[in-house]
Amino acid sequence: MAEGPQPKRKREEEEEKNGGTDTQGGATAAFTLSDLRVRRVLRESARDKIVFLHAERIGLSGEGTDAVVILEKTPFQEEKIPDLLKKPMNAELQMHNDIYCTFYLSPPPELSEIKATVVYPATEKHIQKYLRQEVHLIRETWEDYKNITLPFIQSQSFSIQVGFLGHWCSLLGFLGVSELLWKWKGIDCVCIPASQLIPPAIQPLSPYSIWRSEGDNQSRDYRQAGGWNLKCGRRRVWVYNILEKKAEADRIIHENPDPSNGFVLVPDLKWNQNQLDDLYLIALVHRREIKSLRDLTAEHLPLLRNVLQEGKEAIVKRFGVSGSQLRIYLHYQPSYQHLHVHFTALGYDAPGSSVERAHLLADVIDNLAMDSMYYQKRALTFPLRADEPLFKKFQEAGKV
Ligand code: M7G
């Protein structure tokens, strides 16, 4: 299937013309799966019955926009199993030997569901996330966090808006209103001098030219607009949509609305809620400045205790699964730098629940109660794929 660089610059120009993508304020505009064309298989697992696809949606102009599609055979639902044997269907005998035989069934549609998760428009980072890669363990000290990880996270949490908005920033820069934080379509944005955006190795040719840098294994477009640009954070839009009830409001299982010690509990994207075997919920805290485990101190204990206690109570009330049958944990490193807690069924081998990534919330609470600075002192281990820009940063610093 065709591969090659995506026409991102063109896409951004089109987005500007339309006043930005339609995903930024709330949910993505409707489209059907048949609009998508498969480009390649990123990864598949015969054991988990799941395939990750790089797809694209062809626009009116003929340009493709990247998407990631995850197709997953759903688990059996106990109450529907008898129907599998009873309902007339094509059951093909493959082999018969003594007391053993194997059939292949072609069940009716309602008994052969496939869950399709779509990320659209997908960034290069989404695509890389699902590509099978060599993985390495990083042992990150607090100094490594401050010197390598944190600057990297800060550099990644913004995207650059070009064109008209860049010019608007130029005007602000001209008026001397620098580093102004504001909201554009509900997203935090900041005007900053282009000199901070354009890598030093690339020299501007003219004040309005477009730049492409090939750093960090990712290509980025830069347009200098009279010396100023607008950078906007987009990665956590889905989190803010949930907290502000712009998306998934009807799925909320529990909310503690306290701005400081409150949170929202919703079913995770990975769970279809049809069966409890793979129960998966996620608690998103209302406070926006806590990025991860590394930011936690004893000051956050009331919040963490609320999440643990109220999360368990809400789950037993709604789903009848008791706290002793739940794995409640944080990821380090998380994919999204907004504090959240995973609640999964203990019997479910959820992705990311292994020792190199999961930190039990009850242990986190105990550690902070013993030492408020626990997570600013100890080294933390986490896995990184060899192609991840952060892995390269650790390599450059001679840490792997
Ligand atoms: P993470 O620890 O930051 O990273 O967890 P991971 O995705 O590598 O595990 C983020 C969690 O949020 C994951 O369990 C995702 O499945 C879940 N999640 C991601 N998105 C984009 C959504 C969403 O839009 N809605 C809901 N309900 N969950 C999401």
Side-chain angles (χ1 to χ4, degrees):
M1 249 166 269
E3 276 183 40
Q6 279 300 292
K8 288 208 175 66
R9 189 182 310 162
K10 181 121 193 197
R11 189 171 94 208
E12 283 174 0
E13 281 166 2
E14 277 177 7
E15 284 172 9
E16 275 168 54
K17 267 189 247 145
N18 301 331
T21 67
D22 46 10
T23 53
Q24 295 179 350
T28 310
F31 67 92
T32 60
L33 278 181
S34 56
D35 292 343
L36 299 174
R37 193 177 74 186
V38 178
R39 290 190 63 191
R40 61 184 165 146
V41 173
L42 296 169
R43 179 161 37 114
E44 63 180 310
S45 161
R47 197 193 71 166
D48 298 331
K49 318 282 182 300
I50 191 164
V51 62
F52 301 86
L53 303 170
H54 177 185
E56 65 181 351
R57 186 187 187 200
I58 308 296
L60 292 177
S61 58
E63 298 284 4
T65 303
D66 289 332
V68 167
V69 180
I70 305 166
L71 298 177
E72 184 179 10
K73 296 206 178 182
T74 55
F76 288 109
Q77 293 169 50
E78 216 172 306
E79 65 280 8
K80 291 190 178 169
I81 291 175
D83 285 351
L84 262 180
L85 305 181
K86 268 193 222 127
K87 287 216 170 155
M89 69 185 83
N90 181 11
E92 197 181 307
L93 179 70
Q94 194 202 28
M95 74 99 185
H96 188 180
N97 182 352
D98 188 29
I99 58 170
Y100 306 101
C101 52
T102 318
F103 290 93
Y104 276 89
L105 313 182
S106 307
E110 69 275 15
L111 297 173
S112 54
E113 274 176 352
I114 290 179
K115 180 183 172 212
T117 306
V118 180
V119 183
Y120 172 82
T123 62
E124 190 59 30
K125 201 162 177 172
H126 290 118
I127 295 165
Q128 291 298 324
K129 176 173 175 173
Y130 297 111
L131 203 58
R132 189 180 296 285
Q133 284 288 339
E134 203 179 276
V135 180
H136 295 262
L137 276 190
I138 300 291
R139 186 87 180 137
E140 178 202 69
T141 62
W142 172 245
E143 279 64 40
D144 293 338
Y145 175 73
K146 273 191 311 184
N147 300 331
I148 306 171
T149 312
L150 185 59
F152 174 78
I153 290 168
Q154 285 166 342
S155 75
Q156 293 289 297
S157 59
F158 285 101
S159 72
I160 298 143
Q161 303 294 322
V162 296
F164 168 73
L165 291 163
H167 295 300
W168 191 84
C169 271
S170 298
L171 180 65
L172 286 182
F174 180 70
L175 295 174
V177 192
S178 60
E179 301 283 327
L180 180 78
L181 196 67
W182 61 295
K183 275 197 184 294
W184 177 60
K185 296 194 168 203
I187 306 166
D188 291 333
C189 295
V190 64
C191 288
I192 65 155
S195 55
Q196 288 181 20
L197 289 175
I198 298 176
I202 304 174
Q203 294 302 315
L205 292 173
S206 82
Y208 298 98
S209 45
I210 295 170
W211 302 101
R212 166 154 287 204
S213 85
E214 300 290 340
D216 295 343
N217 216 13
Q218 273 180 326
S219 62
R220 283 202 203 136
D221 290 342
Y222 296 91
R223 181 185 300 184
Q224 194 187 24
W228 286 77
N229 278 71
L230 181 73
K231 291 207 300 181
C232 296
R234 295 186 56 174
R235 279 187 58 67
R236 282 158 291 171
V237 173
W238 71 270
V239 175
Y240 300 153
N241 281 344
I242 293 176
L243 295 177
E244 292 166 15
K245 321 284 175 349
K246 289 180 184 162
E248 304 187 45
D250 52 338
R251 285 159 46 91
I252 293 176
I253 302 297
H254 174 75
E255 174 168 18
N256 175 333
D258 189 286
S260 209
N261 295 323
F263 67 98
V264 171
L265 181 72
V266 283
D268 192 278
L269 189 70
K270 297 191 193 89
W271 187 37
N272 65 10
Q273 297 185 70
N274 283 341
Q275 58 288 312
L276 296 175
D277 306 40
D278 60 342
L279 173 141
Y280 201 143
L281 293 104
I282 189 131
L284 305 166
V285 304
H286 278 301
R287 285 174 70 162
R288 297 190 177 195
E289 78 288 2
I290 317 171
K291 291 186 287 303
S292 73
L293 205 54
R294 279 293 192 200
D295 286 338
L296 293 177
T297 62
E299 188 231 326
H300 304 107
L301 281 170
L303 166 64
L304 299 174
R305 288 185 175 127
N306 283 350
V307 171
L308 185 64
Q309 191 55 33
E310 294 176 30
K312 284 198 280 193
E313 283 166 9
I315 291 175
V316 76
K317 196 166 158 205
R318 175 68 73 93
F319 302 107
V321 177
S322 71
S324 59
Q325 294 174 298
L326 293 172
R327 189 186 290 111
I328 306 170
Y329 56 99
L330 293 89
H331 276 159
Y332 193 77
Q333 285 282 336
S335 296
Y336 303 96
Q337 301 283 332
H338 175 110
L339 193 78
H340 56 273
V341 176
H342 303 252
F343 289 73
T344 61
L346 192 58
Y348 173 47
D349 190 11
S353 58
S354 44
V355 288
E356 70 272 27
R357 194 143 183 243
H359 297 253
L360 289 177
L361 179 58
D363 290 348
V364 171
I365 290 174
D366 274 4
N367 292 336
L368 291 172
M370 276 191 305
D371 181 352
S372 174
M373 303 300 283
Y374 186 87
Y375 290 103
Q376 288 87 52
K377 284 180 183 166
R378 63 160 287 185
L380 292 171
T381 301
F382 56 86
L384 281 179
R385 293 190 318 271
D387 67 319
E388 286 190 72
L390 184 56
F391 180 74
K392 294 218 167 62
K393 299 273 178 220
F394 272 86
Q395 257 183 336
E396 282 161 18
K399 302 284 176 174
V400 266

